Amino acid sequence: MRSSAWSVARCALILCTLRLIDGTKVQRQCGEGDYYYEYTECDSRGSRWRVAIPHEPGACTGLPEPVRGTECTFSCKAGEFLEMSAQECTQCAAGSYSLGSGIRFDQWDAMPAGFSSLATSQENGPHGEDRLTCNSSSWVPQGNYLESNRDECTVSLIYAVHLKKQGSVSFEYQYPDNNLLFEFFIQNDQCQEMDQSADTKWLKLTNHGEWATHTVNLKSGTNILYWRTGGVLMGSKVVKPVLLKNVQIEGVAYTSECFPCKSGSFSRVPGSSTCEPCPRDTYSNHGASSCTPCNSSSYYAAEGSGACKKRPPCSKKDYFQIHTACDHEGKTQVIYKWIEPKICLEGVTGAEMLPPGGEREPCPPCNPGFYNNDTAICSPCPPGTYSDGMKPCQQCPAGTEPTLGYEYKWWNILPSNMKTSCFNVGNSKCDSMNGWEVAGDYIQSGAGSSDNDYLILNIHVPGFKLPTSVSSHSATEFGRITFEFETSCVADCELYFMMDVNRKSTTVVESWERTKTRQTYTHVMTKNASVSYTWAFQRTNQPSDMRQYVNDVARIYSISVTNAVDGVSSGCRVCALSTQPSSSTCVPCPPGHYIDTLTSQCSECPRNTYLVSHAAPSADACKPCGPASRSDKDHSLCYSDCHFTHTDGNATLTFDFSLLGSVGTLMNGPSFTSKGTKYFHQFNISLCGGQDQLAVCTDNVTDLSIADSQREKGEGPSAVKTFICQSTIIPASGRGFRTALSSQSINLADTFLGATVNDTLDGIRVTPEMYPKTSKKVPDINFFYRSLEVTSSCQSGRSAVVTLRCNPEKSTKGELSVPSQCPAGTCDGCTFNFLWESSGACPTCTERDYHQIEGVCKGGHQDLLYVWTEPKLCMGGVALPEKKTLPCEGMEFWVRLGAGVGAFTAVLLVSLTCYFWKKNKRLEYKYSRLVMSANKECEMPVADSCAVMEGENEGDMEDEVVYTKPSLLGKLKAIASKGNGENYENVQLNSSHSKALVWS
């Protein structure tokens, strides 16, 4: 009551003020056209008052007195409005509509009242300068829809509504490009964000040209609605904007008026809740109850038009050629047809005539897996049989099984499992005949109703079925799609190849801009799921309602899908047979086994080889793993077990990289776009281990609707699980988004090629100059990887090299870095290089990495210490031996011992000298005696004396007589001499002869 009383008092105060202002002026009595009614705010009891508010204050007097209004929760039904004079619900008149308790915004010629577009203020550039120019970024009305910004600025579309009861908001949108972030959230009047699940906050991607509907429940009270977009532009690519239309809010207390139908629509009867679009070749003005026909002889109008347009003369852009279906004679011909709906005039000056049809010619053969049974229709071969399209269906021979899939290379008619359509950007679906058209050797994009239409070609695969022999494998490839295409364009055309897995979210696999020469593209399915493949061609991204670039075209020459569960068979595949005698039943091979073509039995791949699932059955299907790598038990991939050995001369270095951890992470940057948006590149690297230790990169924008546990395992539709992956990280600061965003996750390496100290492996080269070395004692170890995913810029797939360097100054986990000349990790977008410096990358310690130091002798004891050789370039391995203490002698003992040994040596030398001197004298005497006795027959000189010389004695002489015992050889010579009767003569020896005698 207090609130109601205050409202009444406020109205009375306004009236008194008006009377005082016009004090002396005579005022007329107010009529019904001078004021309008409004309700006051509801009080605590849920009641309110109706008051009259003048259009021009002070223009009249005698406004109606306030009266009690309806209950706050009162509302009218759809098609009615609350007539405030009587406070009763009244039907809307023809030409208008009402939602009852809701409001709708479906006309966007200008920004509706209450809506505002706000560009978020950005942070400064990397050097402090203000590089942001977002003043011109906003949501732009485009007639039937609202278009978001196309740049990297963060722009919010805001609308505030007050609900008297619980309600909802729903809208239609197009969101085809994940280079633009798109979120929808709600705040209350305290600027607090309402509780909202992730799948209602982040909008899912849509197919190109298709509209999706999004609905969120609203609470009673004030709700501030935010539609927020922000670009993730890492180049000059122009993104596809978000489109928004048909915003409808339920839960308002009442509507006091009906909304007139917009131009091009009408409501025929009173009490309508919606307006219908005018049929083709009719139009209507604002608030119409019926549509007016155009003069069809010279004017036309598309569905939902607000005016008629003049028909132009027919030109070559208004017709197209097709091949007729095969007739009963197996003939077809080229004919020309007008593009429907036909809007041009034939019989006027300058008009083109429809060309005549071509000559009848033989129909092309059936596609592989189909046959022609003397009719005009190609039929699929029965299960268990195959055909190349030109021969009747045949049974596969024993030991083989039919392959399954699709192979389309002749385009006489559109295959039954393919659909074509056309979507106009603003007016939803356009005529389906203008999608893609068959043309014999290829299928090509149609004309469309305007140049910015999306021309859609779709093929749905319900699932994949592996061949029997490999059905039990832990397969990394369930199937693959391959197509050959080309584009020829003058404008900024683009061809998209997309897929939708399990009907959850459509993602763009690859796209090609402008003219592309004839080429082949292959995509591998790594999971068994239902998938829809879509090709979308758009001639220009700019708004257009004309066909100016109708000659810009995309052609697809062939499409092949392998292992499709509902496919046909174009050939037979060798399979493994049961071991039962004379059995022809195909059996599955265990994981890691190939089919021996000689025995038709399963054979396990050799050790450290991996099985190529799509290769022909033979021993060649087992490919050897690279250096320093091994295969898992299923032979599905090769990986490093974190151990590496290198021998250089006589030295062998052993490495154990498990100390570096399971996954390494590097976030480089920051980098800035042209408008100053800060972003980082985050790399996750799994150095060692198999499937259970791969790195995972997720897109938290499109994957927020899945559980965190699924996202961590890489199970989301946009998650990447591989050896090396990359994500683009946008920090929350300065973007308006309240959390850091991770997007654009890509696979850099799904195959481990090997580890080596060499700079080259399998055609991949690392440049040593990228990471200058300061020490050459321990070599760098290079881990080589490759990604088999082909992109438009990397025809051979991406490759990566992780260089491990021993650095004892780093921690065990180490530090990752990229080359200074390639701050994004790559200089060409295809080859990535990383340096991982760590003490954990040093070799295992051995005995040669330390040496011994002997301490001084103290107190009869001596210490033996062991220290590492500096710089220490090893980790783990043998431990440093403990200090040893050994007993030792003092210096006095060694001095005494040395003196004794020296004295003994001197005495020994003197004694030996005397002994040899004396013996020499005796030898001289014996020599002289022998000389004298040898001259008996010669005349001897008279002896001076025969007596013993003075000083000589008999004893001495006897001492000089030497008796020798004859040797055995001497005795034999003596006996021989006597037997022969040989006589010996004495010969005098001259003194000179004595010098020539040698005694031994």
Side-chain angles (χ1 to χ4, degrees):
M1 290 299 293
R2 181 175 300 173
S3 176
S4 300
W6 168 247
S7 299
V8 174
R10 185 177 62 180
C11 294
L13 180 61
I14 292 173
L15 293 176
C16 293
T17 304
L18 292 174
R19 291 191 181 97
L20 289 174
I21 293 174
D22 293 338
T24 59
K25 183 178 180 180
V26 178
Q27 295 178 327
R28 61 180 178 82
Q29 193 71 18
C30 290
E32 291 184 358
D34 295 322
Y35 59 86
Y36 62 96
Y37 290 108
E38 278 192 4
Y39 281 124
T40 63
E41 295 290 335
C42 294
D43 58 20
S44 59
R45 297 184 180 181
S47 60
R48 56 189 174 184
W49 292 80
R50 189 198 71 180
V51 295
I53 307 297
H55 292 294
E56 296 181 12
C60 62
T61 186
L63 292 173
E65 296 294 330
V67 298
R68 184 175 295 276
T70 60
E71 295 295 325
C72 289
T73 57
F74 175 84
S75 63
C76 296
K77 297 185 298 182
E80 297 180 343
F81 72 102
L82 182 63
E83 205 283 311
M84 295 293 288
S85 298
Q87 297 194 71
E88 294 179 353
C89 293
T90 306
Q91 282 189 340
C92 291
S96 63
Y97 72 97
S98 168
L99 300 178
S101 61
I103 51 178
R104 178 187 294 154
F105 301 95
D106 56 5
Q107 189 168 355
W108 303 93
D109 296 320
M111 191 70 75
F115 281 87
S116 60
S117 180
L118 176 65
T120 304
S121 176
Q122 306 282 325
E123 58 188 28
N124 291 336
H127 304 292
E129 72 275 12
D130 186 8
R131 300 176 59 190
L132 274 297
T133 56
C134 292
N135 294 333
S136 60
S137 300
S138 65
W139 288 78
V140 181
Q142 295 287 2
N144 293 325
Y145 56 89
L146 198 63
E147 181 181 286
S148 75
N149 58 306
R150 295 170 178 253
D151 54 24
E152 64 196 65
C153 296
T154 302
V155 183
S156 298
L157 177 68
I158 307 172
Y159 182 76
V161 62
H162 187 80
L163 303 184
K164 298 300 182 182
K165 58 182 179 180
Q166 290 185 350
S168 64
V169 57
S170 65
F171 53 88
E172 296 180 49
Y173 71 94
Q174 279 188 21
Y175 178 31
D177 194 342
N178 60 1
N179 287 301
L180 201 67
L181 307 177
F182 183 30
E183 66 172 332
F184 172 74
F185 62 96
I186 307 163
Q187 290 183 350
N188 59 19
D189 54 357
Q190 301 298 320
C191 295
Q192 296 174 337
E193 188 171 338
M194 301 287 193
D195 294 335
Q196 196 173 351
S197 61
D199 58 342
T200 60
K201 177 178 179 181
W202 296 99
L203 282 299
K204 295 181 179 180
L205 292 172
T206 63
N207 289 329
H208 285 65
E210 293 185 352
W211 293 89
T213 301
H214 189 68
T215 303
V216 179
N217 292 328
L218 301 178
K219 295 181 179 180
S220 59
T222 300
N223 293 266
I224 306 175
L225 312 180
Y226 287 84
W227 292 267
R228 178 169 292 172
T229 56
V232 190
L233 300 181
M234 304 311 160
S236 59
K237 179 179 175 65
V238 178
V239 300
K240 312 297 182 187
V242 174
L243 307 183
L244 184 68
K245 70 175 184 178
N246 293 340
V247 178
Q248 181 170 315
I249 302 173
E250 296 283 351
V252 296
Y254 66 92
T255 176
S256 58
E257 60 180 349
C258 295
F259 299 97
C261 293
K262 65 178 181 178
S263 300
S265 64
F266 70 102
S267 62
R268 182 177 290 105
V269 296
S272 297
S273 59
T274 60
C275 295
E276 301 177 33
C278 287
R280 190 181 307 279
D281 292 332
T282 63
Y283 73 98
S284 69
N285 295 319
H286 190 72
S289 59
S290 63
C291 297
T292 304
C294 297
N295 181 2
S296 59
S297 62
S298 56
Y299 289 87
Y300 76 98
E303 182 180 1
S305 296
C308 295
K309 296 181 180 180
K310 189 173 183 179
R311 293 183 182 271
C314 290
S315 67
K316 293 181 179 180
K317 299 177 181 179
D318 295 308
Y319 62 82
F320 62 96
Q321 72 172 36
I322 63 170
H323 283 69
T324 61
C326 288
D327 57 20
H328 64 282
E329 296 180 358
K331 297 293 183 68
T332 183
Q333 69 176 139
V334 174
I335 63 172
Y336 296 88
K337 298 183 64 175
W338 294 112
I339 294 174
E340 297 293 339
K342 182 184 176 184
I343 61 173
C344 65
L345 294 176
E346 296 182 61
V348 295
T349 304
E352 288 280 343
M353 300 298 294
L354 194 66
E359 297 291 334
R360 295 174 68 245
E361 55 188 20
C363 292
C366 296
N367 283 308
F370 292 82
Y371 71 100
N372 191 325
N373 54 356
D374 296 330
T375 64
I377 299 175
C378 291
S379 303
C381 286
T385 63
Y386 73 98
S387 173
D388 61 358
M390 294 182 287
K391 298 178 182 179
C393 300
Q394 306 174 43
Q395 292 287 339
C396 286
T400 63
E401 60 179 334
T403 58
L404 292 178
Y406 319 120
E407 189 176 353
Y408 301 126
K409 56 184 180 180
W410 302 110
W411 303 95
N412 189 43
I413 61 172
L414 191 69
S416 59
N417 63 340
M418 299 183 71
K419 295 181 179 179
T420 178
S421 56
C422 171
F423 289 95
N424 183 272
V425 173
N427 296 325
S428 188
K429 191 172 182 180
C430 54
D431 199 299
S432 61
M433 289 186 62
N434 297 332
W436 289 68
E437 302 157 353
V438 294
D441 295 336
Y442 50 82
I443 183 171
Q444 66 179 0
S445 55
S449 58
S450 62
D451 284 338
N452 66 341
D453 287 349
Y454 288 103
L455 308 174
I456 307 297
L457 179 66
N458 176 273
I459 182 171
H460 178 68
V461 182
F464 297 88
K465 181 180 180 181
L466 292 172
T468 303
S469 300
V470 297
S471 59
S472 63
H473 289 187
S474 54
T476 57
E477 178 181 329
F478 286 89
R480 56 176 53 195
I481 180 171
T482 303
F483 58 94
E484 187 179 6
F485 72 97
E486 70 176 356
T487 58
S488 176
C489 302
V490 176
D492 56 332
C493 70
E494 190 163 4
L495 175 66
Y496 302 88
F497 173 61
M498 304 173 288
M499 72 175 184
D500 181 0
V501 179
N502 292 330
R503 301 185 183 276
K504 288 185 177 180
S505 177
T506 300
T507 58
V508 177
V509 180
E510 189 60 83
S511 63
W512 300 268
E513 297 179 358
R514 300 187 179 274
T515 298
K516 296 296 178 183
T517 58
R518 188 167 174 173
Q519 57 188 278
T520 301
Y521 180 81
T522 298
H523 176 73
V524 176
M525 274 299 296
T526 57
K527 63 174 65 176
N528 190 2
S530 172
V531 58
S532 290
Y533 296 110
T534 301
W535 294 264
F537 180 69
Q538 188 182 38
R539 290 184 169 87
T540 178
N541 187 36
Q542 302 303 318
S544 173
D545 58 356
M546 301 174 58
R547 287 199 299 262
Q548 183 178 357
Y549 305 109
V550 70
N551 292 326
D552 290 4
V553 66
R555 296 186 180 95
I556 296 178
Y557 291 90
S558 64
I559 298 175
S560 173
V561 181
T562 63
N563 300 336
V565 70
D566 62 340
V568 294
S569 177
S570 60
C572 299
R573 174 189 174 99
V574 175
C575 68
L577 299 179
S578 173
T579 56
Q580 299 296 327
S582 66
S583 175
S584 61
T585 303
C586 295
V587 295
C589 286
H593 286 64
Y594 67 95
I595 303 172
D596 190 332
T597 54
L598 297 178
T599 62
S600 296
Q601 301 296 320
C602 298
S603 299
E604 186 176 4
C605 284
R607 185 172 179 267
N608 288 337
T609 62
Y610 67 98
L611 183 64
V612 180
S613 58
H614 65 276
S618 67
D620 294 336
C622 301
K623 302 296 182 181
C625 294
S629 65
R630 56 185 300 180
S631 63
D632 58 0
K633 63 179 181 179
D634 293 338
H635 297 277
S636 61
L637 56 78
C638 298
Y639 67 95
S640 169
D641 60 357
C642 280
H643 292 86
F644 182 82
T645 301
H646 172 64
T647 302
D648 185 7
N650 296 327
T652 299
L653 301 179
T654 302
F655 298 82
D656 182 4
F657 301 126
S658 59
L659 301 175
L660 275 67
S662 58
V663 177
T665 299
L666 165 66
M667 183 179 290
N668 68 341
S671 299
F672 296 85
T673 63
S674 59
K675 287 194 174 182
T677 300
K678 180 193 296 184
Y679 68 93
F680 301 85
H681 281 152
Q682 177 175 301
F683 301 93
N684 291 336
I685 301 175
S686 175
L687 200 65
C688 311
Q691 292 281 5
D692 56 340
Q693 294 185 1
L694 295 177
V696 176
C697 292
T698 59
D699 186 342
N700 72 350
V701 176
T702 57
D703 285 2
L704 280 174
S705 59
I706 67 172
D708 291 338
S709 59
Q710 289 179 291
R711 191 179 307 114
E712 291 174 0
K713 296 178 181 179
E715 298 177 355
S718 299
V720 174
K721 186 175 183 181
T722 185
F723 285 107
I724 305 176
C725 57
Q726 171 192 317
S727 296
T728 300
I729 307 298
I730 305 171
S733 59
R735 288 307 309 270
F737 298 100
R738 290 161 302 287
T739 181
L741 303 177
S742 172
S743 66
Q744 298 178 338
S745 298
I746 59 175
N747 172 19
L748 300 182
D750 52 21
T751 302
F752 177 58
L753 301 178
T756 176
V757 297
N758 298 327
D759 296 332
T760 305
L761 181 64
D762 196 24
I764 304 174
R765 184 178 184 274
V766 56
T767 305
E769 292 76 16
M770 285 186 174
Y771 311 112
K773 292 190 64 175
T774 58
S775 173
K776 296 184 178 180
K777 293 184 178 180
V778 178
D780 290 344
I781 314 300
N782 296 316
F783 279 63
F784 291 85
Y785 300 87
R786 190 186 298 279
S787 173
L788 300 180
E789 294 182 1
V790 177
T791 66
S792 57
S793 57
C794 305
Q795 296 297 327
S796 300
R798 298 183 179 95
S799 58
V801 182
V802 181
T803 300
L804 300 184
R805 175 172 294 176
C806 171
N807 189 340
E809 298 180 359
K810 301 291 184 179
S811 64
T812 303
K813 183 69 175 177
E815 180 179 329
L816 275 163
S817 62
V818 295
S820 58
Q821 60 268 40
C822 306
T826 178
C827 295
D828 58 4
C830 296
T831 301
F832 291 77
N833 292 275
F834 306 95
L835 176 64
W836 197 334
E837 293 184 279
S838 166
S839 58
C842 295
T844 303
C845 294
T846 61
E847 288 81 358
R848 63 174 176 271
D849 293 310
Y850 62 83
H851 59 274
Q852 174 183 303
I853 297 178
E854 296 181 357
V856 298
C857 186
K858 293 183 179 180
H861 293 84
Q862 182 183 31
D863 292 337
L864 296 181
L865 302 176
Y866 297 89
V867 296
W868 295 109
T869 302
E870 294 296 335
K872 181 187 177 185
L873 298 175
C874 65
M875 190 75 177
V878 300
L880 200 64
E882 297 290 338
K883 181 178 71 174
K884 295 181 181 180
T885 302
L886 301 176
C888 64
E889 298 292 342
M891 182 60 69
E892 295 179 358
F893 169 79
W894 293 106
V895 172
R896 289 195 301 270
L897 179 62
V901 171
F904 173 78
T905 303
V907 172
L908 180 62
L909 290 174
V910 171
S911 300
L912 289 174
T913 302
C914 294
Y915 169 76
F916 284 112
W917 178 83
K918 188 175 181 180
K919 188 172 182 179
N920 184 53
K921 297 295 292 180
R922 289 177 181 175
L923 289 175
E924 282 187 31
Y925 180 78
K926 289 180 181 180
Y927 175 73
S928 62
R929 291 288 300 269
L930 287 173
V931 170
M932 293 174 65
S933 63
N935 295 324
K936 288 181 181 181
E937 295 182 358
C938 300
E939 185 177 355
M940 299 291 293
V942 179
D944 292 339
S945 177
C946 294
V948 177
M949 295 294 293
E950 185 178 0
E952 295 180 354
N953 53 42
E954 188 177 354
D956 293 333
M957 294 300 296
E958 292 177 354
D959 292 338
E960 294 293 328
V961 179
V962 178
Y963 298 90
T964 59
K965 186 177 181 179
S967 65
L968 178 61
L969 181 60
K971 291 180 179 180
L972 292 175
K973 288 182 177 181
I975 295 173
S977 300
K978 292 179 179 180
N980 295 332
E982 295 179 354
N983 297 322
Y984 289 90
E985 295 181 357
N986 294 326
V987 180
Q988 184 179 0
L989 298 175
N990 295 325
S991 60
S992 61
H993 294 166
S994 64
K995 297 179 182 179
L997 292 177
V998 178
W999 297 90
S1000 59

